[in-house]
Amino acid sequence: MGVQVSWDTAAEQPPARRAAFASMTAVTAGDKEAWLGLFAGDAVVEDPVGPSLFDEEGKGHHGRDGISAFWDKTIANVERFQFTIRDSHAAGDECANVGTITTYLPGGYRVDTDGVFVYRVGEDGLITSMRAFWETERAMATARQVTE
């Protein structure tokens, strides 16, 4: 059995960790406006880092308009998200979360994406950078039809 993160919600958390978990909460709720509100106006989202189906040039999605388009292209097409964070490391203005994002897709498919998800915040607590390190081939290898 791996490490399990135990969360004392009454304890003060570093700003980047609070922002990361607020981001996951908004995604799970399907609340695009709440999610966009967590980002600074000049924020960059790289999910995944480097060239991908979602970002052919691998330069990230910039500003609220770019991040909004990323939501529409990716997050909006998922029926349900489940985040399992096995460990979380906060340092300075950043937080790296190690875990699995399980996505439930139309047609009864499920994909598990293992990765490291790094959030950086500004002094105002808004996310300035979100970088997700995961491998498309590894995630796609987990695709399966489920009946849950």
Side-chain angles (χ1 to χ4, degrees), residues 13-99:
Q13 297 295 332
R17 185 174 288 143
R18 285 196 312 267
F21 279 76
S23 172
M24 289 181 260
T25 299
V27 167
T28 301
D31 191 338
K32 179 181 178 181
E33 293 309 312
W35 188 69
L36 290 174
L38 298 170
F39 289 90
D42 60 350
V44 178
V45 169
E46 297 173 80
D47 186 355
V49 170
S52 71
L53 294 171
F54 310 129
D55 178 13
E56 291 180 8
E57 293 183 17
K59 295 181 179 180
H61 308 276
H62 295 261
R64 288 220 174 108
D65 288 344
I67 294 168
S68 176
F70 169 77
W71 174 287
D72 294 342
K73 190 175 191 180
T74 60
I75 297 169
N77 297 311
V78 174
E79 291 180 348
R80 182 167 65 97
F81 285 88
Q82 179 181 327
F83 292 87
T84 304
I85 303 302
R86 289 184 295 282
D87 215 342
S88 180
H89 306 276
D93 61 358
E94 296 188 71
C95 179
N97 296 313
V98 179

Side-chain angles (χ1 to χ4, degrees), residues 89-135:
H89 306 276
D93 61 358
E94 296 188 71
C95 179
N97 296 313
V98 179
T100 303
I101 301 172
T102 301
T103 52
Y104 295 85
L105 305 169
Y109 285 92
R110 173 181 167 168
V111 175
D112 296 317
T113 303
D114 292 326
V116 178
F117 310 95
V118 181
Y119 294 77
R120 176 182 291 146
V121 296
E123 289 183 15
D124 56 6
L126 294 177
I127 300 167
T128 60
S129 170
M130 195 285 278
R131 303 182 79 215
F133 295 84
W134 58 275
E135 299 173 41

